[in-house]
Amino acid sequence: MNKVKIAGTGSYVPDNIVTNDDLSRLVDTNDEWIKSRTGIITRRISQGEDTSQIATKAALKAMEKAKVLPGDIDFIIVATATPDNFIPSTACMIQNNIEAINATCFDVSAACSGFIYAMDIATQFIKTGRANKVLIIGAETLSKILDWKDRSTCILFGDGAAAAVLKSGDEDGIISTYTGSDGRLGDALTCRAVSVNNPYVDKEAEKFNPVVKMDGKEIFRFAVKIMQKTINKLLHDSGCSIDEIDCIIPHQANFRIIEAAAKRLNISTDKFYIDLDKYGNTSAASIGIAFDEAYRKGIFKHGDTVILVGFGGGLTYGGSLIKI
Ligand code: ACO
């Protein structure tokens, strides 16, 4: 089996900063409620850039960092719940933008766990020798599927993109990965697409309003339990103890979820890298943006052990234990 390392990361968020006060002019909310219930202070909201465009910007940064040429990329895997189109895939659009003509390209639908799922798929391709260099991207313009009149959801999310280049290397960077899903809880977080509508459908097709609907309490309970389970599974599989973990990069949904998970794991929240105050929940991009930001800030040093962990619609979950 080949060894897999993360050769470079990159991220991009739109320029437009939206504060809690800004949102209080759209819906009946206030800065104090949002800050105390979620930890979010600002988020970036696209003023027109679509998912493939912000993803391309993150991808180019990761490729530059990894010193990888477009023609050397074997696969582009994009995790998104907010593609530009049903067809073509966002991955194929990015392939065209960056001229990665030798890549096989596809999208992954795993909501906020998408970056971890993409990393897991890329890792398996490289381990088995099927690929040498894989570009993974988590990118979302969640703002286009939010109900901007629903104060319980529109305050939570932001737009953004993150990318990483994974390649075979001499040192093992990805020590263990774990993913799972529980479709029984799918109704807790939904956004309908289009209904079946063709000349053979008798009744008039139901018209869906494609916006995010969420049972916040159900997600909260699931998230806390599954973060603990995923972290413990990664520790068990890699033979590490929690004390050997230098940093945990969680999905950036809500500070209270991270706090509750930390309590269950009997660790300080200081072990978690948190940037949700600035970006809100950017779904499939959130773990990647935080990982890239922590890298750029010099928070990691060579040899550090880091856990990425997330959960999302589906419901889905997963994590990776990584050596920097
Ligand atoms: N501003 C002011 N008041 C609000 C707002 C708001 N933005 N939103 C809800 N409220 C009100 C409610 O109407 C309710 O009022 P009531 O008591 O008069 O009925 C009150 O605040 C409490 O509402 P709750 O829903 O009980 O608030 P809670 O403490 O559960 O927090 C939240 C809601 C923040 C959504 C929380 O449940 C949560 O974070 N859940 C996790 C969900 C999550 O993180 N989702 C992200 C997507 S999941 C993923 O990443 C895939």
Side-chain angles (χ1 to χ4, degrees):
M1 288 281 184
N2 293 327
K3 292 174 175 158
V4 185
K5 67 176 248 183
I6 298 173
T9 60
S11 61
Y12 173 81
V13 289
D15 292 336
N16 180 34
I17 300 173
V18 175
T19 65
N20 293 340
D21 283 338
D22 291 333
L23 292 180
S24 73
R25 287 188 276 277
L26 294 180
V27 287
D28 181 13
T29 191
N30 57 75
D31 179 54
E32 172 51 28
W33 193 97
I34 301 174
K35 249 188 336 212
S36 62
R37 299 286 178 126
T38 70
I40 300 166
I41 299 172
T42 60
R43 70 287 290 143
R44 303 298 181 96
I45 300 294
S46 170
Q47 290 178 295
E49 287 181 299
D50 213 334
T51 300
S52 68
Q53 292 168 297
I54 62 172
T56 299
K57 290 182 178 170
L60 289 172
K61 289 185 188 182
M63 287 160 60
E64 192 186 337
K65 216 36 185 298
K67 298 188 177 65
V68 166
L69 297 172
D72 293 339
I73 295 170
D74 301 311
F75 283 85
I76 301 175
I77 307 172
V78 176
T80 187
T82 49
D84 297 28
N85 306 297
F86 286 139
I87 303 169
S89 70
T90 315
C92 281
M93 295 178 76
I94 296 162
Q95 174 188 35
N96 186 40
N97 292 345
I98 66 173
E99 299 178 2
I101 49 166
N102 298 315
T104 298
C105 307
F106 59 91
D107 290 0
V108 169
S109 172
C112 310
S113 311
F115 196 76
I116 300 289
Y117 274 46
M119 184 175 274
D120 189 27
I121 297 165
T123 300
Q124 305 314 319
F125 277 145
I126 295 170
K127 273 193 174 168
T128 55
R130 176 81 171 82
N132 195 338
K133 297 185 178 74
V134 181
L135 172 63
I136 63 165
I137 304 168
E140 305 280 12
T141 43
L142 251 299
S143 60
K144 67 186 179 186
I145 57 163
L146 293 178
D147 177 351
W148 287 95
K149 292 192 173 72
D150 177 6
R151 66 178 182 173
S152 68
T153 52
C154 76
I155 55 124
L156 297 172
F157 297 94
D159 300 330
V165 175
L166 272 59
K167 65 177 192 182
S168 59
D170 326 325
E171 288 179 17
D172 222 348
I174 306 206
I175 309 300
S176 64
T177 320
Y178 171 59
T179 58
S181 314
D182 189 346
R184 292 170 302 181
L185 299 174
D187 287 344
L189 185 65
T190 59
C191 179
R192 291 300 310 257
V194 292
S195 56
V196 178
N197 185 16
N198 62 46
Y200 306 98
V201 173
D202 284 342
K203 59 182 172 57
E204 197 173 327
E206 197 184 335
K207 290 242 176 1
F208 298 125
N209 186 16
V211 292
V212 170
K213 292 198 165 52
M214 183 184 73
D215 179 345
K217 286 192 183 354
E218 179 81 73
I219 299 275
F220 198 111
R221 277 192 295 271
F222 174 81
V224 173
K225 261 192 297 189
I226 217 67
M227 276 178 68
Q228 181 191 27
K229 179 180 162 182
T230 303
I231 290 171
N232 282 336
K233 172 82 173 130
L234 291 168
L235 293 173
H236 175 266
D237 290 354
S238 55
C240 286
S241 75
I242 192 77
D243 296 336
E244 291 171 86
I245 304 303
D246 297 293
C247 183
I248 299 173
I249 311 274
H251 171 44
Q252 310 280 323
N254 184 324
F255 180 71
R256 288 194 298 135
I257 292 176
I258 297 167
E259 204 174 32
K263 200 167 168 203
R264 277 174 171 240
L265 289 155
N266 209 14
I267 54 175
S268 161
T269 51
D270 292 348
K271 230 187 192 35
F272 291 80
Y273 184 81
I274 295 167
D275 64 7
L276 63 86
D277 51 324
K278 287 187 290 187
Y279 306 123
N281 178 351
T282 56
S283 187
S286 101
I287 293 173
I289 291 174
F291 188 48
D292 178 56
E293 193 176 81
Y295 242 123
R296 281 188 287 112
K297 279 190 177 167
I299 284 176
F300 310 134
K301 54 185 185 313
H302 186 72
D304 274 2
T305 309
V306 175
I307 283 180
L308 314 182
V309 60
F311 55 87
L315 297 182
T316 56
Y317 54 94
S320 293
L321 190 143
I322 290 168
K323 273 264 184 240
I324 302 292

